[in-house]
Amino acid sequence: MVNRFFSHTELKTDKGNTRLDQDNIPSHIAIIMDGNGRWAKNKGLPRVAGHYEGMKVVTNVVKKANEIGIKFLTLYAFSTENWKRPEKEVEFLMKLPERFLEKELPDLQKNNVKVRTMGDRSLLPANTLRAIEKAVKETSDNTGLVLNFALNYGGRHELVEMVKEIGEDIAEGDLRPGDITENLISERLLTQGLPDPDLLIRTSGEIRLSNFMLWQIAYSEFWFTEVLWPDFKDENFIEAIKKYQQRKRRYGGV
Ligand code: V07
């Protein structure tokens, strides 16, 4: 009998996704793409070289997610804390959305991907904002994978804004405290219209949330890997989804 607790070699040699349980594909996957700076440092390269390499991995993961039938993919591209990094690095990072979209928008379009972002857009450079708005607009009628970039996003900031909005509605008499439900809160977050993530992936060995989707991941499965984001391969992605599926199967059995 196959013992699924000793299936490491099996996982390693499985390059395709033939053995994914097609009836239990996570609908929404969120990823904290960490380890780009460390990847570069290990290679004696400037940090920005890691960010650029990380961007190529985004292209690949989006393709794979689409292939697998994931419906929603949220990627943590830039946090509200990232502004504290050296000015040159921030400048480079802020050019990546443009560079990514310039290259990938035609393919995203072809693959029916719908681009959206969450986070405070007011601080983004004009060119970055323009590129994003164009991509969101041009893909707005697409019905395939929703590709959601968290850009200048912070979980606590999102919650503060939600509470302010509810407070204003109450002050104006449009809402009563008794009307506040979990659903009402969910509908006033930046993930409005998206289901909560089923699976959260974080690369690079750090075991923390770093202010990411604090409300939305209440029931998500977490999968952490030592692999640095620029080294993240299809096999790693498949492994994460398989782990998710194993955990779900165990639930069902109890
Ligand atoms: C960024 C590459 C991935 C690793 C993590 C940090 C560096 C893609 C985007 C992006 C964002 C919005 C959008 C289209 C693409 C991006 C930043 C950094 C700031 F509409 N990758 N990537 N944005 N990195």
Side-chain angles (χ1 to χ4, degrees):
M1 192 179 128
V2 177
N3 186 335
R4 66 180 158 159
F5 295 106
F6 291 96
S7 58
H8 302 88
T9 48
E10 207 187 328
L11 289 173
K12 259 188 207 133
T13 53
D14 184 18
K15 294 279 197 263
N17 51 359
T18 47
R19 292 175 328 104
L20 280 180
D21 176 359
Q22 294 304 314
D23 298 328
N24 191 17
I25 301 294
S27 160
H28 186 176
I29 297 183
I31 309 182
I32 302 176
M33 309 180 287
D34 197 13
N36 304 287
R38 182 135 44 100
W39 179 90
K41 193 175 173 216
N42 291 347
K43 290 196 146 36
L45 298 169
R47 287 176 58 82
V48 294
H51 297 318
Y52 192 76
E53 198 64 25
M55 188 179 77
K56 295 193 217 156
V57 176
V58 169
T59 303
N60 194 53
V61 164
V62 171
K63 276 199 193 106
K64 198 69 191 172
N66 218 349
E67 234 179 271
I68 293 169
I70 309 291
K71 295 280 190 292
F72 306 91
L73 182 65
T74 295
L75 302 177
Y76 207 177
F78 194 90
S79 78
T80 48
E81 286 79 27
N82 286 158
W83 295 107
K84 295 183 206 136
R85 293 187 177 175
E87 194 182 323
K88 287 278 174 243
E89 185 179 339
V90 170
E91 219 171 85
F92 184 92
L93 282 166
M94 276 303 141
K95 290 210 178 89
L96 290 185
E98 256 175 289
R99 291 171 84 170
F100 178 89
L101 292 168
E102 215 164 87
K103 186 150 177 285
E104 300 301 330
L105 190 54
D107 270 358
L108 294 173
Q109 199 64 273
K110 227 181 289 157
N111 293 324
N112 199 22
V113 172
K114 183 172 178 147
V115 178
R116 63 182 263 181
T117 68
M118 60 173 186
D120 186 355
R121 285 188 184 179
S122 70
L123 293 174
L124 303 180
N127 289 335
T128 311
L129 191 59
R130 203 175 307 128
I132 287 168
E133 281 174 344
K134 175 171 174 272
V136 170
K137 190 165 165 229
E138 287 183 6
T139 63
S140 65
D141 291 332
N142 289 352
T143 55
L145 173 74
V146 173
L147 175 56
N148 180 35
F149 286 101
L151 193 60
N152 193 20
Y153 171 86
R156 286 189 172 185
H157 184 256
E158 175 185 39
L159 293 174
V160 168
E161 292 306 305
M162 174 271 294
V163 172
K164 275 188 200 160
E165 206 189 275
I166 289 177
E168 272 167 26
D169 281 4
I170 291 174
E172 282 170 22
D174 295 337
L175 189 72
R176 290 164 301 168
D179 296 335
I180 300 173
T181 60
E182 292 188 9
N183 274 338
L184 180 129
I185 289 176
S186 293
E187 278 162 22
R188 286 163 183 251
L189 297 176
L190 299 169
T191 43
Q192 181 189 65
L194 308 185
D196 289 339
D198 302 290
L199 172 62
L200 172 77
I201 295 174
R202 181 170 188 151
T203 58
S204 185
E206 310 295 345
I207 315 294
R208 45 185 144 77
L209 287 180
S210 303
N211 204 15
F212 193 47
M213 300 184 95
L214 298 177
W215 170 272
Q216 295 90 340
I217 56 165
Y219 299 102
S220 307
E221 295 288 337
F222 290 3
W223 188 78
F224 297 98
T225 177
E226 294 285 333
V227 174
L228 308 177
W229 180 251
D231 292 326
F232 193 79
K233 299 283 184 301
D234 285 354
E235 294 92 277
N236 306 117
F237 196 43
I238 300 297
E239 187 189 345
I241 297 170
K242 278 184 187 161
K243 269 285 174 317
Y244 165 85
Q245 294 187 333
Q246 283 169 13
R247 292 182 200 169
K248 287 287 159 191
R249 274 204 292 279
R250 276 209 275 279
Y251 269 149
V254 179

